[in-house]
Amino acid sequence: MMSLLRRLSSWFPPFEPEVDHALFLTGHHNLTSTAIGQMVLTGLVALATYKRTDAWVLWPWAGCLLLIGVGYLLLRRHFQPELQQPPPNVAGVKRWYRYRRALQACSAVGWGGLAWLMVPDATIQNATLMTVFAGVIGHAAAGNAANDFLGSV
């Protein structure tokens, strides 16, 4: 049992206060663009699919993702005082990771639910949705990979 736990813990990077504080600063700085991207992409998908997708599926999906976008903005505001703390701020950074990963996991589940917006025999709509999905994954991979990876997993 202990060897299994050791093997699983090797999958996750060790907590290094200086590195994790630098990732906190980068992630905090990127939250505004993450929030705006979340809300704009959600709005564009809703506009592109509202004619063919069932409203009982589309509006809860869009509402959830828009609320997560607002959550990113609130998270940025909530952790603004942490920027003034001298590095490495271990307690603040660990709390940041918990909040950030929770929001990212909710966002990943929401974007994973994009498949519910697909409609049979609507090839162009379905292809557009898959292109948007690939773009969201690309943004997470290229823009915030160090902060978003574990939340997306």
Side-chain angles (χ1 to χ4, degrees), residues 112-147:
L114 193 66
W116 290 101
L117 302 181
M118 292 190 175
V119 177
D121 299 326
T123 308
I124 294 175
Q125 175 178 325
N126 295 342
T128 303
L129 290 176
M130 290 314 300
T131 304
V132 168
F133 184 71
V136 168
I137 297 302
H139 169 71
N144 267 343
N147 288 296

Side-chain angles (χ1 to χ4, degrees), residues 77-96:
R77 183 175 169 92
H78 180 72
F79 278 93
Q80 196 72 29
E82 297 289 333
L83 295 175
Q84 308 307 322
Q85 301 295 324
N89 180 8
V90 175
V93 168
K94 285 187 176 186
R95 194 165 44 94
W96 157 263

Side-chain angles (χ1 to χ4, degrees), residues 15-49:
F15 185 77
E16 299 176 45
E18 292 82 15
V19 173
D20 289 321
H21 186 77
L23 288 174
F24 159 70
L25 294 175
T26 302
H28 186 272
H29 179 71
N30 290 342
L31 274 180
T32 302
S33 65
T34 302
I36 291 170
Q38 174 96 357
M39 292 187 279
V40 167
L41 274 175
T42 301
L44 290 174
V45 168
L47 284 173
T49 61

Side-chain angles (χ1 to χ4, degrees), residues 42-100:
T42 301
L44 290 174
V45 168
L47 284 173
T49 61
Y50 79 95
K51 288 185 179 180
R52 292 193 167 173
T53 304
D54 185 22
W56 290 100
V57 173
L58 177 63
W59 298 123
W61 175 84
C64 179
L65 285 176
L66 288 173
L67 284 175
I68 292 169
V70 170
Y72 283 129
L73 293 175
L74 293 174
L75 186 67
R76 178 174 167 76
R77 183 175 169 92
H78 180 72
F79 278 93
Q80 196 72 29
E82 297 289 333
L83 295 175
Q84 308 307 322
Q85 301 295 324
N89 180 8
V90 175
V93 168
K94 285 187 176 186
R95 194 165 44 94
W96 157 263
Y97 276 132
R98 284 193 307 270
Y99 283 48
R100 173 78 173 146

